[in-house]
mmCIF file of all heavy atoms in Angstrom:
data_model
loop_
_atom_site.group_PDB
_atom_site.id
_atom_site.type_symbol
_atom_site.label_atom_id
_atom_site.label_comp_id
_atom_site.label_asym_id
_atom_site.label_seq_id
_atom_site.Cartn_x
_atom_site.Cartn_y
_atom_site.Cartn_z
ATOM 1 N N ILE A 7 -13.884 -3.062 -2.539
ATOM 2 C CA ILE A 7 -13.535 -2.850 -3.913
ATOM 3 C C ILE A 7 -12.094 -3.018 -4.205
ATOM 4 O O ILE A 7 -11.657 -3.215 -5.376
ATOM 5 C CB ILE A 7 -14.002 -1.466 -4.421
ATOM 6 C CG1 ILE A 7 -13.230 -0.370 -3.694
ATOM 7 C CG2 ILE A 7 -15.499 -1.341 -4.300
ATOM 8 C CD1 ILE A 7 -13.541 1.044 -4.217
ATOM 9 N N LYS A 8 -11.241 -3.083 -3.157
ATOM 10 C CA LYS A 8 -9.801 -3.248 -3.411
ATOM 11 C C LYS A 8 -9.410 -4.738 -3.342
ATOM 12 O O LYS A 8 -8.593 -5.159 -4.155
ATOM 13 C CB LYS A 8 -9.010 -2.507 -2.345
ATOM 14 C CG LYS A 8 -9.163 -1.009 -2.410
ATOM 15 C CD LYS A 8 -8.500 -0.489 -3.656
ATOM 16 C CE LYS A 8 -8.606 1.041 -3.727
ATOM 17 N NZ LYS A 8 -8.049 1.624 -4.900
ATOM 18 N N CYS A 9 -9.910 -5.521 -2.339
ATOM 19 C CA CYS A 9 -9.424 -6.834 -2.139
ATOM 20 C C CYS A 9 -10.557 -7.908 -2.173
ATOM 21 O O CYS A 9 -10.285 -9.091 -2.140
ATOM 22 C CB CYS A 9 -8.662 -6.974 -0.882
ATOM 23 S SG CYS A 9 -9.653 -6.896 0.669
ATOM 24 N N GLY A 10 -11.782 -7.497 -2.159
ATOM 25 C CA GLY A 10 -12.964 -8.417 -2.208
ATOM 26 C C GLY A 10 -13.363 -8.991 -0.854
ATOM 27 O O GLY A 10 -14.342 -9.723 -0.766
ATOM 28 N N SER A 11 -12.665 -8.667 0.236
ATOM 29 C CA SER A 11 -13.025 -9.131 1.578
ATOM 30 C C SER A 11 -14.379 -8.598 1.977
ATOM 31 O O SER A 11 -14.715 -7.500 1.669
ATOM 32 C CB SER A 11 -11.932 -8.727 2.565
ATOM 33 O OG SER A 11 -12.293 -9.047 3.887
ATOM 34 N N LYS A 12 -15.054 -9.403 2.772
ATOM 35 C CA LYS A 12 -16.394 -8.994 3.294
ATOM 36 C C LYS A 12 -16.243 -8.700 4.780
ATOM 37 O O LYS A 12 -17.273 -8.550 5.469
ATOM 38 C CB LYS A 12 -17.400 -10.013 2.984
ATOM 39 C CG LYS A 12 -17.707 -10.161 1.521
ATOM 40 C CD LYS A 12 -18.892 -11.032 1.250
ATOM 41 C CE LYS A 12 -19.057 -11.116 -0.242
ATOM 42 N NZ LYS A 12 -20.240 -11.947 -0.541
ATOM 43 N N ASP A 13 -15.024 -8.536 5.274
ATOM 44 C CA ASP A 13 -14.823 -8.291 6.731
ATOM 45 C C ASP A 13 -14.498 -6.775 6.898
ATOM 46 O O ASP A 13 -13.449 -6.304 6.647
ATOM 47 C CB ASP A 13 -13.621 -9.068 7.196
ATOM 48 C CG ASP A 13 -13.500 -9.126 8.707
ATOM 49 O OD1 ASP A 13 -14.428 -8.733 9.391
ATOM 50 O OD2 ASP A 13 -12.486 -9.554 9.205
ATOM 51 N N ALA A 14 -15.585 -6.060 7.284
ATOM 52 C CA ALA A 14 -15.496 -4.579 7.444
ATOM 53 C C ALA A 14 -15.888 -4.129 8.811
ATOM 54 O O ALA A 14 -16.607 -4.937 9.530
ATOM 55 C CB ALA A 14 -16.343 -3.885 6.365
ATOM 56 N N ALA A 15 -15.518 -2.996 9.191
ATOM 57 C CA ALA A 15 -15.888 -2.351 10.444
ATOM 58 C C ALA A 15 -16.058 -0.888 10.239
ATOM 59 O O ALA A 15 -15.768 -0.346 9.161
ATOM 60 C CB ALA A 15 -14.868 -2.613 11.523
ATOM 61 N N LYS A 16 -16.638 -0.204 11.293
ATOM 62 C CA LYS A 16 -16.807 1.205 11.184
ATOM 63 C C LYS A 16 -16.388 1.892 12.438
ATOM 64 O O LYS A 16 -16.493 1.320 13.513
ATOM 65 C CB LYS A 16 -18.246 1.563 10.756
ATOM 66 C CG LYS A 16 -19.284 1.176 11.795
ATOM 67 C CD LYS A 16 -20.682 1.509 11.308
ATOM 68 C CE LYS A 16 -21.744 1.060 12.315
ATOM 69 N NZ LYS A 16 -23.052 1.443 11.913
ATOM 70 N N LYS A 17 -16.015 3.146 12.320
ATOM 71 C CA LYS A 17 -15.638 4.007 13.443
ATOM 72 C C LYS A 17 -16.238 5.440 13.186
ATOM 73 O O LYS A 17 -16.416 5.811 12.097
ATOM 74 C CB LYS A 17 -14.142 4.170 13.594
ATOM 75 C CG LYS A 17 -13.413 2.960 13.985
ATOM 76 C CD LYS A 17 -11.916 3.269 14.113
ATOM 77 C CE LYS A 17 -11.160 1.990 14.500
ATOM 78 N NZ LYS A 17 -9.670 2.302 14.630
ATOM 79 N N GLU A 18 -16.456 6.145 14.269
ATOM 80 C CA GLU A 18 -16.830 7.534 14.172
ATOM 81 C C GLU A 18 -15.640 8.375 14.474
ATOM 82 O O GLU A 18 -14.842 8.115 15.367
ATOM 83 C CB GLU A 18 -17.965 7.897 15.106
ATOM 84 C CG GLU A 18 -19.273 7.213 14.791
ATOM 85 C CD GLU A 18 -20.425 7.690 15.645
ATOM 86 O OE1 GLU A 18 -20.289 8.813 16.224
ATOM 87 O OE2 GLU A 18 -21.389 6.955 15.785
ATOM 88 N N VAL A 19 -15.435 9.378 13.614
ATOM 89 C CA VAL A 19 -14.292 10.324 13.755
ATOM 90 C C VAL A 19 -14.760 11.758 13.660
ATOM 91 O O VAL A 19 -15.819 12.026 13.060
ATOM 92 C CB VAL A 19 -13.140 10.103 12.746
ATOM 93 C CG1 VAL A 19 -12.609 8.702 12.879
ATOM 94 C CG2 VAL A 19 -13.630 10.253 11.340
ATOM 95 N N ALA A 20 -14.034 12.659 14.287
ATOM 96 C CA ALA A 20 -14.306 14.109 14.153
ATOM 97 C C ALA A 20 -13.048 14.804 13.682
ATOM 98 O O ALA A 20 -11.967 14.429 14.075
ATOM 99 C CB ALA A 20 -14.815 14.652 15.554
ATOM 100 N N MET A 21 -13.239 15.834 12.919
ATOM 101 C CA MET A 21 -12.069 16.532 12.314
ATOM 102 C C MET A 21 -12.370 18.043 12.326
ATOM 103 O O MET A 21 -13.471 18.476 12.352
ATOM 104 C CB MET A 21 -11.941 16.131 10.848
ATOM 105 C CG MET A 21 -11.638 14.692 10.694
ATOM 106 S SD MET A 21 -11.506 14.341 8.904
ATOM 107 C CE MET A 21 -11.573 12.542 8.932
ATOM 108 N N THR A 22 -11.264 18.821 12.376
ATOM 109 C CA THR A 22 -11.372 20.203 12.301
ATOM 110 C C THR A 22 -11.640 20.650 10.911
ATOM 111 O O THR A 22 -11.409 19.935 9.957
ATOM 112 C CB THR A 22 -10.086 20.875 12.795
ATOM 113 O OG1 THR A 22 -8.997 20.490 11.955
ATOM 114 C CG2 THR A 22 -9.806 20.550 14.222
ATOM 115 N N GLY A 23 -12.115 21.852 10.725
ATOM 116 C CA GLY A 23 -12.277 22.376 9.419
ATOM 117 C C GLY A 23 -11.109 23.327 9.056
ATOM 118 O O GLY A 23 -10.025 23.046 9.458
ATOM 119 N N THR A 24 -11.450 24.461 8.450
ATOM 120 C CA THR A 24 -10.339 25.433 8.081
ATOM 121 C C THR A 24 -10.641 26.683 8.860
ATOM 122 O O THR A 24 -11.587 26.875 9.579
ATOM 123 C CB THR A 24 -10.395 25.750 6.596
ATOM 124 O OG1 THR A 24 -11.680 26.285 6.234
ATOM 125 C CG2 THR A 24 -10.167 24.511 5.774
ATOM 126 N N GLY A 25 -9.724 27.635 8.813
ATOM 127 C CA GLY A 25 -9.852 28.890 9.429
ATOM 128 C C GLY A 25 -9.812 28.839 10.980
ATOM 129 O O GLY A 25 -9.027 28.159 11.554
ATOM 130 N N LEU A 26 -10.812 29.458 11.596
ATOM 131 C CA LEU A 26 -10.864 29.601 13.054
ATOM 132 C C LEU A 26 -11.043 28.193 13.719
ATOM 133 O O LEU A 26 -10.479 27.947 14.771
ATOM 134 C CB LEU A 26 -11.911 30.571 13.501
ATOM 135 C CG LEU A 26 -11.617 32.026 13.196
ATOM 136 C CD1 LEU A 26 -12.836 32.883 13.668
ATOM 137 C CD2 LEU A 26 -10.400 32.531 13.906
ATOM 138 N N SER A 27 -11.810 27.354 13.110
ATOM 139 C CA SER A 27 -12.019 26.033 13.741
ATOM 140 C C SER A 27 -10.780 25.271 13.755
ATOM 141 O O SER A 27 -10.495 24.543 14.727
ATOM 142 C CB SER A 27 -13.169 25.262 13.017
ATOM 143 O OG SER A 27 -12.778 24.928 11.696
ATOM 144 N N LYS A 28 -9.879 25.428 12.756
ATOM 145 C CA LYS A 28 -8.611 24.762 12.811
ATOM 146 C C LYS A 28 -7.685 25.369 13.837
ATOM 147 O O LYS A 28 -7.009 24.682 14.565
ATOM 148 C CB LYS A 28 -7.939 24.874 11.408
ATOM 149 C CG LYS A 28 -6.655 24.084 11.322
ATOM 150 C CD LYS A 28 -6.089 24.095 9.917
ATOM 151 C CE LYS A 28 -4.847 23.259 9.804
ATOM 152 N NZ LYS A 28 -4.339 23.243 8.450
ATOM 153 N N MET A 29 -7.714 26.718 13.918
ATOM 154 C CA MET A 29 -6.858 27.440 14.902
ATOM 155 C C MET A 29 -7.219 26.984 16.306
ATOM 156 O O MET A 29 -6.359 26.871 17.165
ATOM 157 C CB MET A 29 -7.004 28.932 14.667
ATOM 158 C CG MET A 29 -5.986 29.756 15.431
ATOM 159 S SD MET A 29 -5.974 31.393 14.707
ATOM 160 C CE MET A 29 -6.689 32.264 16.083
ATOM 161 N N PHE A 30 -8.496 26.923 16.589
ATOM 162 C CA PHE A 30 -8.925 26.630 17.964
ATOM 163 C C PHE A 30 -9.199 25.115 18.197
ATOM 164 O O PHE A 30 -9.756 24.690 19.236
ATOM 165 C CB PHE A 30 -10.143 27.441 18.329
ATOM 166 C CG PHE A 30 -9.867 28.889 18.425
ATOM 167 C CD1 PHE A 30 -10.392 29.770 17.479
ATOM 168 C CD2 PHE A 30 -9.168 29.399 19.485
ATOM 169 C CE1 PHE A 30 -10.134 31.091 17.551
ATOM 170 C CE2 PHE A 30 -8.878 30.772 19.581
ATOM 171 C CZ PHE A 30 -9.315 31.621 18.625
ATOM 172 N N ASP A 31 -8.919 24.270 17.225
ATOM 173 C CA ASP A 31 -9.073 22.859 17.295
ATOM 174 C C ASP A 31 -10.528 22.477 17.632
ATOM 175 O O ASP A 31 -10.776 21.591 18.465
ATOM 176 C CB ASP A 31 -8.113 22.197 18.324
ATOM 177 C CG ASP A 31 -7.989 20.659 18.134
ATOM 178 O OD1 ASP A 31 -8.206 20.223 17.054
ATOM 179 O OD2 ASP A 31 -7.720 20.040 19.125
ATOM 180 N N ILE A 32 -11.490 23.063 16.962
ATOM 181 C CA ILE A 32 -12.873 22.816 17.073
ATOM 182 C C ILE A 32 -13.267 21.682 16.078
ATOM 183 O O ILE A 32 -13.209 21.948 14.882
ATOM 184 C CB ILE A 32 -13.815 24.012 16.846
ATOM 185 C CG1 ILE A 32 -13.403 25.089 17.896
ATOM 186 C CG2 ILE A 32 -15.257 23.665 16.936
ATOM 187 C CD1 ILE A 32 -14.020 26.402 17.666
ATOM 188 N N GLN A 33 -13.601 20.521 16.509
ATOM 189 C CA GLN A 33 -13.860 19.387 15.692
ATOM 190 C C GLN A 33 -15.350 19.230 15.451
ATOM 191 O O GLN A 33 -16.023 18.426 16.123
ATOM 192 C CB GLN A 33 -13.243 18.141 16.265
ATOM 193 C CG GLN A 33 -11.743 18.241 16.414
ATOM 194 C CD GLN A 33 -11.086 17.048 16.949
ATOM 195 O OE1 GLN A 33 -11.735 16.203 17.573
ATOM 196 N NE2 GLN A 33 -9.774 16.925 16.784
ATOM 197 N N HIS A 34 -15.918 19.974 14.535
ATOM 198 C CA HIS A 34 -17.353 19.961 14.287
ATOM 199 C C HIS A 34 -17.699 19.149 13.076
ATOM 200 O O HIS A 34 -18.923 18.957 12.802
ATOM 201 C CB HIS A 34 -17.864 21.364 14.168
ATOM 202 C CG HIS A 34 -17.383 22.122 13.052
ATOM 203 N ND1 HIS A 34 -16.159 22.769 13.025
ATOM 204 C CD2 HIS A 34 -17.938 22.314 11.800
ATOM 205 C CE1 HIS A 34 -15.968 23.325 11.857
ATOM 206 N NE2 HIS A 34 -16.982 23.072 11.058
ATOM 207 N N ASN A 35 -16.749 18.675 12.384
ATOM 208 C CA ASN A 35 -17.025 17.787 11.194
ATOM 209 C C ASN A 35 -16.996 16.359 11.634
ATOM 210 O O ASN A 35 -15.899 15.811 11.980
ATOM 211 C CB ASN A 35 -16.003 18.053 10.071
ATOM 212 C CG ASN A 35 -15.986 19.478 9.574
ATOM 213 O OD1 ASN A 35 -17.032 19.959 9.208
ATOM 214 N ND2 ASN A 35 -14.864 20.104 9.553
ATOM 215 N N GLN A 36 -18.135 15.724 11.646
ATOM 216 C CA GLN A 36 -18.186 14.294 12.071
ATOM 217 C C GLN A 36 -18.497 13.366 10.909
ATOM 218 O O GLN A 36 -19.341 13.610 10.075
ATOM 219 C CB GLN A 36 -19.296 14.177 13.201
ATOM 220 C CG GLN A 36 -18.929 14.988 14.395
ATOM 221 C CD GLN A 36 -19.958 14.807 15.472
ATOM 222 O OE1 GLN A 36 -21.069 14.381 15.219
ATOM 223 N NE2 GLN A 36 -19.583 15.203 16.690
ATOM 224 N N PHE A 37 -17.748 12.223 10.902
ATOM 225 C CA PHE A 37 -17.832 11.253 9.874
ATOM 226 C C PHE A 37 -17.877 9.866 10.434
ATOM 227 O O PHE A 37 -17.467 9.623 11.493
ATOM 228 C CB PHE A 37 -16.621 11.373 8.933
ATOM 229 C CG PHE A 37 -16.494 12.676 8.212
ATOM 230 C CD1 PHE A 37 -15.729 13.723 8.805
ATOM 231 C CD2 PHE A 37 -17.058 12.907 7.008
ATOM 232 C CE1 PHE A 37 -15.604 14.920 8.179
ATOM 233 C CE2 PHE A 37 -16.985 14.148 6.380
ATOM 234 C CZ PHE A 37 -16.239 15.137 6.945
ATOM 235 N N ILE A 38 -18.424 9.002 9.620
ATOM 236 C CA ILE A 38 -18.360 7.534 9.880
ATOM 237 C C ILE A 38 -17.394 7.022 8.852
ATOM 238 O O ILE A 38 -17.516 7.224 7.675
ATOM 239 C CB ILE A 38 -19.674 6.891 9.785
ATOM 240 C CG1 ILE A 38 -20.634 7.430 10.860
ATOM 241 C CG2 ILE A 38 -19.577 5.373 9.901
ATOM 242 C CD1 ILE A 38 -22.097 6.955 10.733
ATOM 243 N N VAL A 39 -16.314 6.304 9.368
ATOM 244 C CA VAL A 39 -15.343 5.701 8.490
ATOM 245 C C VAL A 39 -15.644 4.213 8.445
ATOM 246 O O VAL A 39 -15.716 3.534 9.484
ATOM 247 C CB VAL A 39 -13.927 5.909 9.007
ATOM 248 C CG1 VAL A 39 -12.880 5.269 8.025
ATOM 249 C CG2 VAL A 39 -13.647 7.386 9.160
ATOM 250 N N VAL A 40 -15.823 3.631 7.253
ATOM 251 C CA VAL A 40 -16.020 2.259 7.046
ATOM 252 C C VAL A 40 -14.686 1.747 6.447
ATOM 253 O O VAL A 40 -14.200 2.336 5.485
ATOM 254 C CB VAL A 40 -17.157 1.953 6.150
ATOM 255 C CG1 VAL A 40 -17.312 0.406 5.936
ATOM 256 C CG2 VAL A 40 -18.448 2.483 6.716
ATOM 257 N N TYR A 41 -14.098 0.699 7.031
ATOM 258 C CA TYR A 41 -12.824 0.220 6.575
ATOM 259 C C TYR A 41 -12.829 -1.245 6.483
ATOM 260 O O TYR A 41 -13.500 -1.979 7.140
ATOM 261 C CB TYR A 41 -11.730 0.736 7.432
ATOM 262 C CG TYR A 41 -11.756 0.217 8.851
ATOM 263 C CD1 TYR A 41 -11.074 -0.877 9.227
ATOM 264 C CD2 TYR A 41 -12.535 0.927 9.848
ATOM 265 C CE1 TYR A 41 -11.172 -1.369 10.584
ATOM 266 C CE2 TYR A 41 -12.603 0.424 11.141
ATOM 267 C CZ TYR A 41 -11.937 -0.655 11.504
ATOM 268 O OH TYR A 41 -12.008 -1.144 12.747
ATOM 269 N N CYS A 42 -12.040 -1.754 5.509
ATOM 270 C CA CYS A 42 -11.831 -3.164 5.284
ATOM 271 C C CYS A 42 -10.812 -3.642 6.324
ATOM 272 O O CYS A 42 -9.690 -3.070 6.407
ATOM 273 C CB CYS A 42 -11.309 -3.398 3.894
ATOM 274 S SG CYS A 42 -10.889 -5.161 3.569
ATOM 275 N N LYS A 43 -11.150 -4.709 7.051
ATOM 276 C CA LYS A 43 -10.210 -5.281 8.061
ATOM 277 C C LYS A 43 -9.039 -6.026 7.423
ATOM 278 O O LYS A 43 -8.080 -6.215 8.083
ATOM 279 C CB LYS A 43 -10.964 -6.157 9.027
ATOM 280 C CG LYS A 43 -11.874 -5.436 9.965
ATOM 281 C CD LYS A 43 -12.568 -6.438 10.977
ATOM 282 C CE LYS A 43 -13.336 -5.703 11.957
ATOM 283 N NZ LYS A 43 -13.898 -6.693 12.966
ATOM 284 N N ASN A 44 -9.238 -6.379 6.174
ATOM 285 C CA ASN A 44 -8.160 -7.138 5.452
ATOM 286 C C ASN A 44 -7.075 -6.215 4.937
ATOM 287 O O ASN A 44 -5.952 -6.438 5.210
ATOM 288 C CB ASN A 44 -8.796 -7.993 4.342
ATOM 289 C CG ASN A 44 -7.758 -8.856 3.731
ATOM 290 O OD1 ASN A 44 -7.077 -9.612 4.327
ATOM 291 N ND2 ASN A 44 -7.665 -8.818 2.379
#
Side-chain angles (χ1 to χ4, degrees):
I7 63 171
K8 296 291 182 181
C9 72
S11 173
K12 293 186 179 182
D13 193 13
K16 64 182 179 177
K17 292 183 181 180
E18 291 187 23
V19 296
M21 300 178 193
T22 61
T24 59
L26 290 177
S27 65
K28 184 175 183 178
M29 191 165 110
F30 293 110
D31 195 26
I32 300 170
Q33 299 179 342
H34 65 277
N35 298 308
Q36 296 182 343
F37 298 91
I38 296 173
V39 181
V40 179
Y41 62 94
C42 174
K43 289 183 174 182
N44 184 53

